[in-house]
């Protein structure tokens, strides 16, 4: 229902007067019929399913939920949301990448970002890449020569002379693949529509606030309608809202609530009774919505269009990271915008109860919070290290710029947002290794951030120190302390350790699976890249970050992975977002058998 | 004392009639004076230190050891053994790599395996590499042209014509670096003596049965005397003996013994009372020594020299992996030798009490042992997968060869030996990823193998399954079962989880440290290689394997790493070998303060 309701807000952006990116308004652009009706259809389906659920299942809703039922409800409603959220992408025929078909050869060539399937020589490849970079709109050969002149001058000019009949044909998604006979041309560009797996991936990535995308080219409204792009960012908003509110407010009662507290807000819970929790949840909703609004307004003031401002606010506060531009936040190249987003990313990665405490005039509580302090210290120290080690590829002239990009990237990865202002994939090894490990830290408990959460790491280190101490002082059992106070003992220790163990084992096995599933050819000769890229892809999805290293780097995307890997990544995103247990139990036969 | 005693056995190999490798006997070779006296000096020092310890500290030996004292004794005696074991390398001036000094340029060039420091063009590099491959003996230019003719024909012939005065000068380690004036030449080859850190690394690698080496060229008796090479393999024998016997027999009494059981033989202990343990320990010694002897004899029968046979037997049964040839076991390229080593590696990776049970005629106990069964299944399944996925780079014609190499490599990594018959670094990604993960499994408890041990993995998986189950059935607490019997509860769970957690955190932080310490330049442009190579180096030392991927691959070594990294690797080898706790506690201030 909520999903359907939210889709309504995506509809207006089908009108070009609203749906246009910063600096791109084109009054001649047409109304986005396909996107509009796809959204309408999705809304109808959502409400129908919502109505059915309410009527046939809703009866049990008011009873006290048991732990098992609660877990099943969370997991299944998450799956349902993903499916509903995928519909607009599928119905609208959104395209994820371009395919170029060479008619003089017999081979079809898929162009994603860096990859060409099929046997092409270097010259052909460069031309096709230039075409693909221009988007699906197609360009005359003369313009093509101009635009790729620098990269492959000789080849293109030779080609222009030898094959004067080369001309582009753009086949739109809805047209027949085999174009009518009058289209005599040597190559055809055909956008590849998102498959069902792609749509589900994009939807899951949005709801889990991961921000991993399979869409290689966001900037072409012919293949990705603006209203669909807005819906894509809206899934972040809904996901973030769901995380901080839904589980606490709607499902946060009875013994079920406690399970979900374990699944959703880890570590020692900070608030007490049920009513207080529900009350807090509504305050969280208000804080979350107001922060979205404030950020959108600030971004608008600093020069974004409303469309971009709102989408980026959604991406920031949900710690998602979907942008509306291929280059992510780097596109704007503006210090005020960067710093605005940095500040809101830091806010989004904080425990929302701290926002509340500051609002009711008790900022001291925030400053005393051990998790918040560790969180801020990690950001400060890692940024300092990254900047000091001179991690940047090019010799930036200004320290301010180095600092800005370093801070942005550290905050973006740490809070699991995944926006980028600099291609950190070309940083030196130290920078990349630090960012990789930072992925596993994540935001604070009770925030929209993913990862393992700061509080778990604090407890983890404390537990390990106590345990090592106990190995030589077996009789002395000391309690686990957090900010002076002793926190619950053995059981908490075990839960934290089990969580880390599960993450480690899931990470290792998923890495092996991706390495096995993906063909070596995608990476060409450098198979070390495959090992690192796969590891970062698993980490980036499991911790809900989005971009990783190599082929899924800051300027890249997930479009090159096979469908099987994409399904695995979807599962990892869901695992990470619902904090393992809820998702793991539904795969246990015992869970369904026993009562 | 034992170290000194064992050194005596290395002395005879200084005589060339004994100390020669398979197919290499040269009756004109001279007696190894340097190596012989270095060993003598080391023996004297060892006995002196042993005597002092016995006289001044030995008094407390017969009292019951407390847990803390026992831990300190283990850690410090390990450090002492490492220092004593490093002496022969240092005193004999053993060299780890070759350095080529070009006198026509002003730059000095270090040649290890694939790496050249300094500005050289491709042609110069190839020549120098050819020289280095020939060893430190030096060769006339004419021979050089012949030997590298295939790889760089034009360059060398041009060079031979244009610079007829190029001639090699070999400067021996003990000579002055700046050679007398009559040595007019364009380049000089100078072997680099092992630094103190190198010697300690090699010694630690031997005692911890890791098998990681810093010596790039083992095959030149001028730079690495045969008697020193024998001592190098003897450290494996001692290390292996120490692991299965020393901790159980000599230190295995009182509460101290229990700590060490925890530190040394993990999981549920299989034997009961103290006297029985000591009795078993002596049986273990016998089994271990006899197996060494048997393997050496079999290898001799299959064509090895006595020297090679004994050294490889030491390397196999200690699951060490030091070979006497640069190409490791691949050098022999013989199926009987390969299968002999495979069988003994498998035996070395088994719990030694199973050998005992088989000897006393109860093989049924072995077949029923859950750890042994899992161990054998993992070897079988992984070998099958590796072979089936067609993991080999070249198209081997015979399935038998593919199977032999696949099985050898899987067993070698799984048992943490580290011998190689095939360069698994050129396997496909699946093969490499599987071997990487296999490193963390390791041998069985109570074997000489390293890694996390199979039993820990069995318990780990069982614990995680129980814990996930408990998340939806919080009231049902089921005991941990192993082969039908319930094993001790909560505390064991915590210990296993803490062990995995410590391994994970040590691995991550060490990886970051190595990436930070090592200069990016070592890897040139492919920084992904750095990330993977560093990860595999950390894993290969922490789990006591030896070779990893990339620059420390099957045909490579650790000589390229900086001293700081080598110190870190030494620490990791010790950590892995003593199973974390003993080594970790000595770094805690509390350990030394309190009683």
């Amino acid at each position: 229902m909520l999903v359907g309701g939210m889709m309504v807000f995506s509809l207006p952006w089908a009108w070009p007067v609203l749906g246009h990116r910063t600096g791109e308004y084109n009054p001649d652009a047409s109304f986005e019929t396909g996107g509009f009706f796809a959204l309408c259809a999705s809304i109808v389906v959502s409400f129908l399913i919502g109505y059915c659920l309410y009527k046939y299942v809703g009866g049990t809703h008011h009873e006290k939920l048991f732990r098992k039922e609660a877990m099943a409800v969370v997991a299944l409603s998450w799956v349902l949301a993903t499916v509903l959220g995928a519909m607009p992408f599928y119905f609208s025929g959104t395209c994820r990448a371009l395919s170029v078909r060479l008619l003089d050869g017999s081979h079809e060539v898929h162009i994603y970002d860096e990859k060409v399937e099929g046997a092409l020589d270097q010259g052909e490849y460069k031309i096709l890449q230039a075409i693909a970079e221009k988007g699906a709109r197609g360009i005359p050969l003369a313009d093509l020569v101009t635009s790729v002149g620098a990269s492959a001058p000789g080849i293109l000019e030779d080609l222009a002379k030898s094959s004067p009949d080369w001309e582009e044909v753009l086949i739109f998604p809805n047209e027949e693949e085999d174009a009518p006979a009058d289209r005599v041309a040597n190559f055809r560009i055909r956008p590849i529509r998102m498959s069902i797996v792609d749509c589900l991936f994009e939807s899951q990535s949005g709801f889990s606030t991961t921000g991993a995308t399979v869409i290689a080219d966001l900037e072409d409204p012919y293949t990705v309608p603006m209203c669909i792009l807005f819906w894509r960012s809206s899934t972040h908003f809904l996901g973030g809202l769901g995380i901080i509110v839904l589980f606490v407010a709607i499902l946060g009662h009875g013994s079920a609530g406690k399970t979900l507290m374990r699944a959703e807000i880890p570590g020692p819970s900070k608030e007490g009774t049920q009513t207080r929790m529900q009350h807090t949840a509504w305050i969280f909703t208000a804080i979350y919505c107001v922060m979205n609004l404030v950020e959108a307004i600030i971004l608008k003031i600093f020069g974004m269009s409303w469309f971009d401002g709102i989408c980026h606010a959604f991406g920031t506060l949900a710690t998602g990271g979907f942008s509306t531009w291929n280059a992510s936040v780097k596109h704007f190249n503006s210090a005020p915008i960067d710093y605005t987003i940095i500040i809101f990313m830091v806010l989004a990665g904080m425990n929302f109860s701290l926002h509340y405490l500051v609002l009711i005039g008790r900022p001291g509580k925030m400053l005393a919070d051990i998790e918040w302090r560790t969180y801020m210290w990690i950001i400060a120290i890692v940024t300092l290290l990254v900047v000091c080690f001179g991690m940047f590829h090019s010799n930036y002239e200004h320290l301010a710029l180095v600092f800005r990009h370093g801070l942005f990237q550290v905050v973006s990865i740490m809070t699991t947002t995944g926006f980028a202002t600099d291609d950190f994939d070309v940083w030196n090894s130290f920078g990349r290794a630090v960012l990789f490990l930072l992925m596993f830290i994540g935001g604070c408990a009770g925030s929209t951030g993913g990862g393992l959460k700061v509080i778990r790491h604090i407890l983890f280190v404390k537990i390990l120190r106590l345990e090592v101490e106990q190995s030589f002082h077996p009789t002395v059992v000391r309690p686990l302390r957090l900010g002076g106070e002793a926190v619950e003992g053995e059981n908490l220790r075990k839960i934290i350790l089990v969580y880390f163990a599960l993450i480690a084992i899931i990470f290792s096995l998923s890495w092996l699976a991706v390495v096995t599933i993906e063909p070596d050819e995608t990476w060409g000769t450098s198979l070390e890249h495959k090992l690192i890229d796969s590891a970062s892809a698993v980490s980036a999805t499991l911790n809900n970050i989005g971009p990783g290293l190599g082929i899924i780097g800051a300027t890249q995307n997930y479009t090159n992975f096979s469908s099987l890997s994409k399904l695995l990544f979807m599962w990892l995103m869901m695992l990470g977002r619902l904090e393992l247990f809820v998702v793991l139990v539904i795969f246990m036969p015992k869970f369904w058998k026993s009562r």
Side-chain angles (χ1 to χ4, degrees), chain A residues 546-557:
Chain A
L549 303 172
I551 67 157
I552 53 147
T555 57
Q556 307 284 322
N557 53 70

Side-chain angles (χ1 to χ4, degrees), chain A residues 174-250:
Chain A
N174 297 331
E175 293 180 43
E176 272 301 293
E177 185 188 333
D178 287 304
D182 62 294
R183 290 193 171 177
V184 181
N186 294 67
F187 65 94
R188 285 178 193 155
I189 306 174
R190 187 165 54 86
I192 307 169
R193 283 180 64 155
M194 288 168 79
S195 68
I196 291 183
V197 171
D198 292 328
C199 295
L200 289 171
F201 181 95
E202 202 74 11
S203 171
Q204 178 69 272
S205 170
F207 282 120
S208 63
T209 76
T210 304
T213 185
V214 293
I215 302 174
D217 185 12
L218 297 167
E219 295 175 13
D220 190 339
Y222 290 81
T223 54
V224 185
M226 304 303 271
C227 56
I228 296 298
L229 212 52
F230 190 85
W231 166 244
R232 183 167 163 269
S233 289
S234 304
T235 54
H236 272 343
F237 177 80
L238 282 175
L241 192 71
I243 290 150
I244 59 158
V245 174
L246 198 75
F247 293 122
V248 186
I250 299 171

Side-chain angles (χ1 to χ4, degrees), chain A residues 504-520:
Chain A
I505 211 161
I506 291 166
F507 173 77
S508 308
L509 295 182
S510 304
W511 175 65
L512 184 62
V514 172
V515 167
T516 312
I517 295 168
E518 291 299 313
D520 279 4

